[in-house]
Structure formats: C-alpha cells, structure tokens
Amino acid sequence: MVSHSSSVTARNIRLLATPATILVLVTAIIPLVVLSSTVVRSSDVISIWQNSAVQNALVFSIWQALLSTIFTILIGLIATWYLTRYQFRGRQALIALITVSFVLPTVAVGASFIAVLPTWLHHSTFAIVLAHIFFNISIVVRTVGPRWNSLQEDLVHCAHTLGASSLQTWRHVILPLGKSAIYSSAALTFFMCFTSYGIITILGGPGLATLDIEIYRRAVQLGDLSGATVLAVAQMLFITIAFLIWSRSRSVELTKFRVVAVSQRKLSVAPRFFVGALTVLFLAPLSALSIASFRTGRSWSLSGWKVLFGMQNQRGLELDIWQALQTSGKYALIASCIALPTGIAATYAFSKNGSTNSRWSSLAILPLSISPVVVGLAILVTYDFAPFEFRSSWFLIPVVHAAIAMPFVVRAALPVVQGIPPELRSAAATLGASPWRRFCLVEIPLLRPAITTGIAFSMAISLGEFGATSFLTRRESQTLPIIIANLFGKAGAIPRASGMAASLLLVIVTGIIVLSVDRKPQV
Amino acid sequence: MRKTHATPFIATLLIVLTTITACTSENSTTKELTLIAYDSFTPPEGAFDEFTQETGISVQIAVAGDAGEMVAKASLTTGNPEGDVIWGVDNTLISRATESKIFAGDPVEVDFGDVCVNFDVAALGQIQPPMTFDDLILPEYKDMLVVQNPATSSTGLAFLLATIAAFGDSWTDYWKQLVNNNVQVVDSWDEAYYTSFTRYGGDRPLVVSYSTSPPAEVIFADPPLPTGSPALTGVASETCFRQVEYAGVLRGTHFTKQAQQLVDYLTSPTFQALLPESLFVYPANKDVELPQSFIDYAPKIVNSFSLPSEEIAKNRQSWTDQWSAIVLQ
C-alpha cells in the first residue's frame, strides 16, 4: 500500500508556490531592492532612528497596535463564542455585517466614525481602538469561529460531568483547543493595526503618527527618500519576521470540516446585551454615512445622490460614476483572477498530508507590510526600462491589488485545503483518475468555500484599495475610492453630500459582492 | 504516474505574463502627449479639444496622488519621466523640483490662489469679522479659530508660512498667543472645514481655507442660491499666503516641441478661462475674464504674503518641528 497520499513529490508541490513567489518578488521585493540601492545613503540606516519624530512614531505604532489587538481579541472571542454556539435572531446578518466590515474602505469608515462619535472623542486612542475593533473583529471571528464550531459538544459536557465550572471549562478545554487560531488571529490583527494609516490619520489627533505615516511624510513632504526607504525596509523585516515567529508551525492539526448543527441554546440577558452593543458598533457608522449622504448643510436633500449619478447637473463637478464603477470592477475582477489561483496554489505548496506549514505561507503577507508610498516609488524606479516598462501601465494596479489580496486568499484556503481527506485523493487515484482529473472532479468542488471566500475578499479589497492605487499613475478614469477622496477635498455642501453618497455606494457594492459570493461562511 | 501538477500553474503563469507584456506594448506616437497632474486636476470635458484641433495631438491626463506625491515621483524619475508635461508644481515644491532638474527649460506660472482664514458670516452674527493676523489674537475671537497641522496638511503649512512671512523671527511668539486664544488644530483641511467649521455643524466659525472657498460655497449650495444673495462665507484678507502653481515640459520627453506647444496652450486664454470654476484657482493669464461667481463672491486679495521657494524647502522641517513644540503640547 502506497504510504503517501498524493502522487506528487515534495519538489513538485513546492513548485506550486512559484506564481505566488513571482507575484511577491515582482510587486515587492525586487522594487524594494532596486529602490534601496538607488536612494538609500548608508549613513541614514543608523541615523534615521535618532530622529525623535521617528522614535515617537515607532512607539505609538507599537502601543496602539498592542492595545487594539488586546481589545479586539477580547471582544472578538466573546463575540465568536456567542456567534458559534448560540442561536438567535439576526445571527447570520451579524456575521455578514462583521465580514463585510473588514474590507470596507478606510476613507468611508473614517468619515462615518467622525459622524457618529461625539466631538470630545474625535481625537483619542479610544476612537482608534474602536475603529480597529470594527475592522479586525472579523479576523478573530472567521479564524477562531470554524475551530470552535467543530468543537465537539461532548468535550464540554464531559468537562462539566467531571465537575469543572464554566471558567475551568474555558481555561482547560475551550481556549486550548482554539489556541493556535487565537494566536494567528492575534498576529494578523496586530499587523493590520500596526500598519494602519487611514484610521490614524482621520481619528488620531494632530501629532499622532504611526510608522507608515512617518514614512509617507518623509518620502512626500520632506523629500527624504533615503530615510523613508530605510524605515520601510525595517518595518517590512520586523513584521515579516515577527509574523514568521508568531505563526506556529502546525504539524498535525486537522480541522476536518463537518457541518455542526448550531446549538439551539438561546442567549440570556447579559449576552443579549453584548450582542446588541456589537450590532450597534457595526450599524451606527454605516447609518451615519447614509444620513450624511442625504444632507446638504442643514437640510435634507437628494442632490448628493443625484449629482453623483449624473441626474442633476452641477457646475464645477463632472463625475462619471458609471465609468468609475466599471474601472473599479475591471480592476477587481482581474485582481481576483490573479490572486485566487496564485493563493490556492501557494496553499497547496505548503500542505502535505492534511497539515500545513503555515510559516512559509505567512510570507505572502510581505507586500502588505510595506508602506504603499514606498511600494509606489519603488515600482516607479524599477520598471522603467524596456521590456519591463510597465510602471505606468494600468495593468499594474490590479496586479498590486492581487499581491495585497493574496495573503487573505491563502488564509481562507488553508483550513479548507487542510480539511480535504487525503483518502479521497487516493480513492480517486485507485479508480484511475489522472492527477489533473482528480483535481478538477474531486478537489475543486471541495475547495469551493475557499474559492468563493477568496474571490469575495480579493474583489472587495481591490474595490476599496486606496493607498497604493492613488500612488500609481493612472491614465484612465478614476476608481471609486479616488473619486471619494476628490469629492471630500472640495468645499461646498454638494461635494460633501456626494462624497458621502459615493462612500455609501462603495460600501453597498462591496457588501453585495462579498455577501453574494461568500454565501456560506464557515462560522 | 504522470506528474502533471505543473500544468495548471504554468498555464496561469503564462496567461498572466502574456497579459502583462501585451499591455506594456502600448506605444505612444507623436499623436498623443501625456500630461501629468495631481488627483484633483479635473478640467471639464473637452478642455483640450481646441488644442487637438489645432495641432492634431490628443492629450492624455495621467494623475497620481496629490501635488506632493506627484513631485516626489517626478523627482525620482527625473530624466526618464512618466509623461511629457507636468502641471501643478506649487511654490512650496518648486525648488525641490528644479533641484532634481525635472524640467526641460523653465517652468511657467499657470495659476495662483491664496490660503486665508475664512469666516462663517451667519455664525459670527454681530461680531465684526477679523481681517488681520493681529485680529486673530484678540480676546473677542477666542475659541473661534481652527487651523491644520503643517506637518500633514499643505493648507496648514501655507498658513504657518504666512505667519513666518508676516512676523519674521517672532512668529513663535505669535503662535504662543494663538495658543492662548485656544486655537484648535486638526490634521487635514477636510476635517477642519467639514467637522470643525460652523457651516458644517462644528463649533469654530474661523477656519483656514482658500480664498476661492466662498465662491465654491455659493456654486455648490443646495438648494441653489438666488442671484444677488449675500455671501455665505468671507475671507480675512490680510491673513493670506499666495500659492502659485507651475507647469513645464519634463526633461527626457521624446516630444519636446509638441510638449512646448501644450504648455503654451495651458497658459492660453481658452484653457485658462476654464480654471476658476473647475479647479477653483485664479488663472495666471491676466487677459482672462473671471466668471460671474468669482466676480461676485471671490474676495480681491491685494496683500498676500509669500516666501522664496528655496527658503521654504530649506527650513520647512525645522519650522514644522518648532511649531509642533509650541502648539502640540
């Protein structure tokens, strides 16, 4: 009896990671190396860290990321517990809301938080942490959720039978079983908060800056490209290494997917209150956005929407929203067509016998860990000679989007690929199917949850992407986030209302795509 | 067993690579020029039609980021630019641009505007609006002014530069007095104007904005204002900093002659007349007549402050640091 479950050798499996590696090399590593060799002065490598603004930015980055991560994990775990183990009205809707919130554009969410929060909270660490919870709670729910979902009810009952209190059951049974998922979601949350740019800019007070913001300032406003590149490379190394160390290598961790009937337990009073508060957290900013889109100055009006869709002429504002939607849609489709096969292939590359060495797949996070400004500048300086002269090519934008979305495709695919029983592959092989046929007829149907989630996330991330997109030169029409930023930059009641309307449109379109494609979230 | 796991991913790879190379083989002939500008450069439809009719060359606008980002990119690609002509290098950035030698020849001035303190007419009510810097530190304007952080906002930087130009070395004392008068600081123009300004629900009737914001308020009012209505906002005309924008042919372009024709067009009356109501700036060409909205509602700024571009570039960092030390405590 053949002992290995697949017919391919280790060498061939590793080959599957090539597209992903090429994507990361092309969009991140090569440009960064070229940029560093072009602009960095060796003296800056040490001296930049002596700058007090840089030190403050570094300290603040770590501090707010830690704080945000702790609270996101705390609240996320409680939310995950209620969402996975209890049944209540609106459960599916809340999960959907949480999922969509992760991919919402910062530009829109920042504006809505300002609209919702009272003025005295506008510039505060509290606002920043709250916004980070809003964005990142989905990481916890969608990572820990599936793990707790397949938690056998019997284990909990056993513990109770043996005399454990609820707290002890938590400590000794439930938490340990979710430990690796909790660690990995904590790592990703810390990373997303550390590299947070838009939220800090909008909700942080003047003078509060993360490392990303400081990099931007150095590169763009002060013209100190050398210092900015040093900081960006350092940040990338720090994050990637931290991520590698933090994501534990899992040797035998089978998360076989079984559909577990959700417990029919109802929520008692205190949990109900918690769920209610969570719903308010998610609905309030979106409602504020909607309201603001119907208000011009002090009165209610449809003009914001009408001008946006070209139904009302407005001197001084020529918007082609349909063109923008088309462009955004085109980029989103291309980005997901690149990110999906690349990401899934990479997941396969590091899966063997149902387990995954997730350390290497965490390297997919690399493009995300570099400040978009530096990525943009690096690409500019690298791809400027024939035949690689694609620095001004429109195609570059969806490629960069794909590089940004790929780690999320990998994250979605990991548990699914792990959960495919190796016996199925062997059985198909025994029945005479070639590897390609096996893949098409057996594995792709089983991969469907990963495929749908991967497509949904890639498209949503591409739709809402602002940082890198705004920096890469565009020759054709704007994307939707760029139009939003332009509208917010104009004085006057109508551009303001139209900007809010466009933000809401972006949220709705993103939501529709995510919800219609990702129909059965495994929570 | 055949090892065909390679096939699908090689196929994907080939598709991706082919598409990339296919798309990069777009070539530009002398029939098209690329004009590099910032994100908010939105001239009306057909702005370049007359140029195309006269010369047979079409103009493609390539935008990337705001003015600062645009100049950073142009500096980095000097000699091998992304386009043929660049629009919108302002006076705080021009010295960096010329230092990096991005221009072939000299840049020309294409538009100008002022950054001044705007006031909300209705919110001030009976109080006389401020006109000068000295007014802003008077007790009757306490708790009224919101400014932007010069480290993060070009509007804020312009206001800071105006105070430096006005007061010379004692600008730090002036700012200490502003702080005593409880000036509010926010990070962006957007936040100052739409969150703190009383016109949009805030509590500060004085905001640092542009001299063209009052006509913008009128043009974008909803429901539209009847002609002859009084202005909604006004400008403290002695608190202004002049912002000038330049355009020029980029060094390294393959079509220098045609690019120069485009630059000439950008300063021609036809194109310049489109500027006020689309970009909300004043045209540099003095022969152009301003639109009615500007004549009625845009204030005439006679004395605005300015500083030499090299001085700005040299001292920007230290001025901003000093400002932070005084104001952001």
Side-chain angles (χ1 to χ4, degrees), chain A residues 280-292:
Chain A
V280 166
L281 172 65
F282 282 89
L283 281 183
L286 299 178
S287 327
L289 206 59
S290 320
I291 293 176

Side-chain angles (χ1 to χ4, degrees), chain B residues 252-313:
Chain B
T253 166
H254 300 303
F255 311 114
T256 328
K257 194 163 79 75
Q258 293 87 342
Q260 189 54 49
Q261 283 180 297
L262 180 56
V263 171
D264 295 334
Y265 179 73
L266 292 176
T267 46
S268 70
T270 334
F271 186 79
Q272 293 263 309
L274 303 169
L275 292 179
E277 283 188 344
S278 59
L279 297 187
F280 289 93
V281 288
Y282 289 85
N285 189 328
K286 301 279 182 250
D287 300 330
V288 171
E289 226 182 84
L290 291 175
Q292 198 58 40
S293 59
F294 268 56
I295 297 176
D296 291 338
Y297 295 106
K300 296 232 182 335
I301 308 295
V302 179
N303 298 323
S304 56
F305 295 98
S306 72
L307 287 172
S309 183
E310 299 77 26
E311 208 184 308
I312 298 176

Side-chain angles (χ1 to χ4, degrees), chain B residues 109-126:
Chain B
E109 197 182 306
V110 284
D111 65 62
F112 64 92
D114 293 286
V115 170
C116 322
V117 172
N118 279 216
F119 57 83
D120 183 352
V121 173
L124 278 185
Q126 302 297 1

Side-chain angles (χ1 to χ4, degrees), chain B residues 300-329:
Chain B
K300 296 232 182 335
I301 308 295
V302 179
N303 298 323
S304 56
F305 295 98
S306 72
L307 287 172
S309 183
E310 299 77 26
E311 208 184 308
I312 298 176
K314 201 168 70 149
N315 296 303
R316 181 178 177 153
Q317 172 76 26
S318 67
W319 283 338
T320 320
D321 289 341
Q322 281 179 279
W323 181 92
S324 298
I326 299 169
V327 180
L328 294 182
Q329 278 331 327

Side-chain angles (χ1 to χ4, degrees), chain B:
Chain B
M1 299 220 192
R2 283 177 299 135
K3 291 185 268 218
T4 51
H5 263 249
T7 317
F9 93 83
I10 285 181
T12 319
L13 202 61
L14 280 175
I15 293 174
V16 171
L17 280 177
T18 324
T19 335
I20 293 180
T21 23
C23 294
T24 57
S25 50
E26 0 167 313
N27 43 29
S28 53
T29 65
T30 41
K31 293 301 168 207
E32 188 184 77
L33 286 174
T34 302
L35 173 65
I36 297 190
Y38 39 69
D39 270 339
S40 41
F41 180 70
T42 46
E45 193 77 40
F48 294 99
D49 284 351
E50 199 181 289
F51 178 75
T52 312
Q53 269 165 25
E54 269 176 44
T55 59
I57 308 175
S58 62
V59 177
Q60 162 124 106
I61 302 179
V63 298
D66 64 20
E69 291 166 8
M70 182 184 74
V71 171
K73 298 178 65 174
S75 301
L76 195 54
T77 56
T78 179
N80 187 1
E82 288 186 280
D84 307 294
V85 175
I86 191 169
W87 165 286
V89 182
D90 72 31
N91 52 333
T92 57
L93 299 163
I94 189 80
S95 68
R96 199 192 315 170
T98 39
E99 242 175 59
S100 322
K101 300 196 186 48
I102 71 171
F103 292 112
D106 293 319
V108 294
E109 197 182 306
V110 284
D111 65 62
F112 64 92
D114 293 286
V115 170
C116 322
V117 172
N118 279 216
F119 57 83
D120 183 352
V121 173
L124 278 185
Q126 302 297 1
I127 307 177
Q128 185 81 315
M131 276 299 140
T132 67
F133 281 122
D134 291 322
D135 287 343
L136 293 173
I137 50 177
L138 293 175
E140 64 221 65
Y141 300 113
K142 196 176 171 73
D143 301 325
M144 283 201 183
L145 178 63
V146 54
V147 302
Q148 300 89 1
N149 184 347
T152 53
S153 159
S154 58
T155 329
L157 178 65
F159 185 69
L160 171 61
L161 294 175
T163 57
I164 295 176
F167 292 102
D169 285 330
S170 52
W171 66 269
T172 42
D173 298 323
Y174 178 71
W175 275 95
K176 290 189 182 123
Q177 291 178 292
L178 272 184
V179 170
N180 279 343
N181 234 16
N182 205 14
V183 63
Q184 184 187 47
V185 180
V186 295
D187 263 338
S188 66
W189 171 85
D190 180 282
E191 207 185 320
Y193 202 82
Y194 285 112
T195 311
S196 302
F197 193 34
T198 40
R199 246 192 88 55
Y200 290 95
D203 55 357
R204 299 269 166 165
L206 303 175
V207 64
V208 172
S209 184
Y210 298 90
S211 58
T212 49
S213 298
E217 281 290 332
V218 169
I219 291 176
F220 291 130
D222 183 66
L225 292 177
T227 26
S229 310
L232 301 165
T233 53
V235 153
S237 48
E238 303 287 324
T239 61
C240 301
F241 185 78
R242 174 59 46 101
Q243 281 191 325
V244 181
E245 287 191 344
Y246 298 87
V249 175
L250 286 167
R251 181 173 69 96
T253 166
H254 300 303
F255 311 114
T256 328
K257 194 163 79 75
Q258 293 87 342
Q260 189 54 49
Q261 283 180 297
L262 180 56
V263 171
D264 295 334
Y265 179 73
L266 292 176
T267 46
S268 70
T270 334
F271 186 79
Q272 293 263 309
L274 303 169
L275 292 179
E277 283 188 344
S278 59
L279 297 187
F280 289 93
V281 288
Y282 289 85
N285 189 328
K286 301 279 182 250
D287 300 330
V288 171
E289 226 182 84
L290 291 175
Q292 198 58 40
S293 59
F294 268 56
I295 297 176
D296 291 338
Y297 295 106
K300 296 232 182 335
I301 308 295
V302 179
N303 298 323
S304 56
F305 295 98
S306 72
L307 287 172
S309 183
E310 299 77 26
E311 208 184 308
I312 298 176
K314 201 168 70 149
N315 296 303
R316 181 178 177 153
Q317 172 76 26
S318 67
W319 283 338
T320 320
D321 289 341
Q322 281 179 279
W323 181 92
S324 298
I326 299 169
V327 180
L328 294 182
Q329 278 331 327

